[in-house]
Amino acid sequence: AKSLGRSAYSLYTDNMQQQTQDKLNLFNDLHQAIEEEAFYLVFQPQLNSRGEASGAEVLCRWNNNGVPVAPDVFIAAAEETNLIIPLGRWILRQSCRHLQHWRQQGCLPASFRQLAVNISPIQFRDPQFESLINELLEEYSLEPQWLELEITENTFLGNNDEARNKIERLSQLGIRFALDDFGTGYSSLSYLQQLPLHKLKIDRSFITDIDKTDQPVPIIESIIQLGHNLGLDVIAEGVETEQQRDYLLAHQCYEFQGYWFSKPLNDEAFCRYLAELQSC
Ligand code: C2E
Ligand code: CA
Ligand code: CA
Ligand code: CA
């Protein structure tokens, strides 16, 4: 599906003119898709060491006239055009709506703590971001603790203080923050100490290394220890094998997300998965 999405806009051909045309088409389609709300959300379960659901990550999907476009492609395009602000707003609202619905239906187990939503740096910088959060919490009667915002190190590039203050205020309110793709960025680690984060999310690229060798993977062990030393929870994404899960568990990582447990699921399949987990 991903390759289809890419080839539909041949962003990777050598032909510059074709590339520019494809990009314009993509921007146009995206603009229209936002107006038509042609996106949908899927939810990937997160599990604790007891095998219970601890939360889920929201992932956005777009079928453009039936052709799936890879999230990496349309999110990047949305960021380039600032369309990520209305799209991100829609994603947050739908996430809250689903969360309220699941709670009312009783589909969430007692172990379920958070719904994690990816927030692009541009969306986070939007001056109306905080009022949106407050509005949604009220509209969907959600305690702030239910929402976990996944941000990346790029959020702190440039106007550092503003982002830091915003995290500070939202964190005061009770919103949780996870640092996504941890270990792949270039920024200094000093900001880690200064921010009221709750969780480090180890990037999938490191998890893949576990199966390549019987040797320890020092980077992973260091990230987990760093997280613990800072008083943060640590979650691993992209866990695809039992060996990876066991390795992580043996090194004190107690939360997991990945195909080994479940692919991202639509609303109904997600609730069914949670029910099945509880019955076994
Ligand atoms: P991410 O935040 O690092 O999300 C994790 C990606 O890994 C998702 O890809 C997910 O489907 C995939 N994944 C999860 N488990 C496994 C696994 O076990 N194996 C493998 N090979 N992959 C796994 P996806 O959905 O294609 O999203 C790619 C990226 O697009 C995300 O990376 C995120 O940066 C961005 N994205 C997706 N949805 C949203 C959204 O709603 N808002 C924003 N701002 N960005 C989004
Ligand atoms: Ca993420
Ligand atoms: Ca990642
Ligand atoms: Ca990411």
Side-chain angles (χ1 to χ4, degrees), residues 57 59 118 150 180-181 201 237:
E57 179 179 9
L59 294 157
N118 291 287
E150 292 197 1
D180 202 3
D181 298 336
K201 197 164 191 181
E237 71 172 10

Side-chain angles (χ1 to χ4, degrees), residues 2 44 60-61 72 91 118 180-181 204 237 240 259:
K2 288 197 172 177
Q44 188 172 34
C60 189
R61 296 289 179 262
D72 292 319
I91 292 168
N118 291 287
D180 202 3
D181 298 336
R204 173 157 60 91
E237 71 172 10
E240 292 185 352
Y259 295 169

Side-chain angles (χ1 to χ4, degrees), residues 136-193:
L136 293 176
L137 293 176
E138 172 144 348
E139 188 175 338
Y140 296 99
S141 313
L142 297 171
E143 294 80 35
Q145 289 72 18
W146 285 98
L147 263 193
E148 185 168 272
L149 305 183
E150 292 197 1
I151 56 175
T152 61
E153 292 167 62
N154 292 342
T155 306
F156 314 113
L157 292 179
N159 53 352
N160 247 302
D161 285 349
E162 208 181 303
R164 221 197 332 262
N165 292 338
K166 213 178 256 193
I167 293 172
E168 203 83 55
R169 286 192 300 268
L170 286 165
S171 189
Q172 281 292 328
L173 185 69
I175 299 283
R176 298 167 50 87
F177 282 92
L179 195 55
D180 202 3
D181 298 336
F182 188 70
T184 63
Y186 296 98
S187 40
S188 86
L189 289 176
S190 61
Y191 67 94
L192 269 184
Q193 287 195 74

Side-chain angles (χ1 to χ4, degrees), residues 29-266:
D29 290 354
L30 198 55
H31 195 93
Q32 206 180 347
I34 288 169
E35 291 197 337
E36 293 169 359
E37 301 194 27
F39 302 91
Y40 64 98
L41 301 181
V42 290
F43 310 93
Q44 188 172 34
Q46 300 172 329
L47 283 86
N48 65 25
S49 56
R50 287 181 300 279
E52 305 160 331
S54 55
E57 179 179 9
V58 178
L59 294 157
C60 189
R61 296 289 179 262
W62 178 30
N63 292 335
N64 190 13
N65 301 316
V67 184
V69 184
D72 292 319
V73 172
F74 73 76
I75 294 288
E79 285 176 334
E80 233 181 292
T81 49
N82 276 346
L83 286 172
I84 192 67
I85 292 180
L87 176 58
R89 213 180 282 143
W90 181 87
I91 292 168
L92 259 178
R93 175 174 298 277
Q94 294 304 312
S95 300
C96 292
R97 196 177 62 80
H98 279 105
L99 195 49
Q100 185 195 41
H101 189 60
W102 295 333
R103 289 178 73 196
Q104 288 171 347
Q105 282 186 314
C107 111
L108 302 177
S111 54
F112 196 97
R113 296 198 307 170
Q114 79 275 330
L115 187 63
V117 184
N118 291 287
I119 304 296
S120 140
I122 296 165
Q123 186 188 8
F124 193 71
R125 241 173 269 146
D126 177 12
Q128 288 167 43
F129 185 75
E130 283 173 275
S131 53
L132 173 67
I133 294 282
N134 280 297
E135 222 176 276
L136 293 176
L137 293 176
E138 172 144 348
E139 188 175 338
Y140 296 99
S141 313
L142 297 171
E143 294 80 35
Q145 289 72 18
W146 285 98
L147 263 193
E148 185 168 272
L149 305 183
E150 292 197 1
I151 56 175
T152 61
E153 292 167 62
N154 292 342
T155 306
F156 314 113
L157 292 179
N159 53 352
N160 247 302
D161 285 349
E162 208 181 303
R164 221 197 332 262
N165 292 338
K166 213 178 256 193
I167 293 172
E168 203 83 55
R169 286 192 300 268
L170 286 165
S171 189
Q172 281 292 328
L173 185 69
I175 299 283
R176 298 167 50 87
F177 282 92
L179 195 55
D180 202 3
D181 298 336
F182 188 70
T184 63
Y186 296 98
S187 40
S188 86
L189 289 176
S190 61
Y191 67 94
L192 269 184
Q193 287 195 74
Q194 305 160 9
L195 291 171
L197 301 170
H198 298 85
K199 193 180 277 186
L200 289 187
K201 197 164 191 181
I202 311 174
D203 190 64
R204 173 157 60 91
S205 56
F206 299 113
I207 308 305
T208 318
D209 293 339
I210 295 172
D211 288 344
K212 288 189 190 141
T213 155
D214 290 333
Q215 302 296 308
V217 186
I219 285 263
I220 295 184
E221 296 180 19
S222 303
I223 291 176
I224 296 170
Q225 282 319 309
L226 177 67
H228 289 327
N229 291 343
L230 291 166
L232 305 176
D233 293 339
V234 179
I235 185 171
E237 71 172 10
V239 179
E240 292 185 352
T241 68
E242 192 169 21
Q243 190 191 340
Q244 292 171 347
R245 197 268 318 266
D246 291 346
Y247 181 93
L248 289 159
L249 202 51
H251 292 89
Q252 285 94 46
C253 174
Y254 302 122
E255 205 176 0
F256 319 97
Q257 182 185 335
Y259 295 169
W260 175 252
F261 302 96
S262 171
K263 295 209 163 175
L265 304 168
N266 68 25

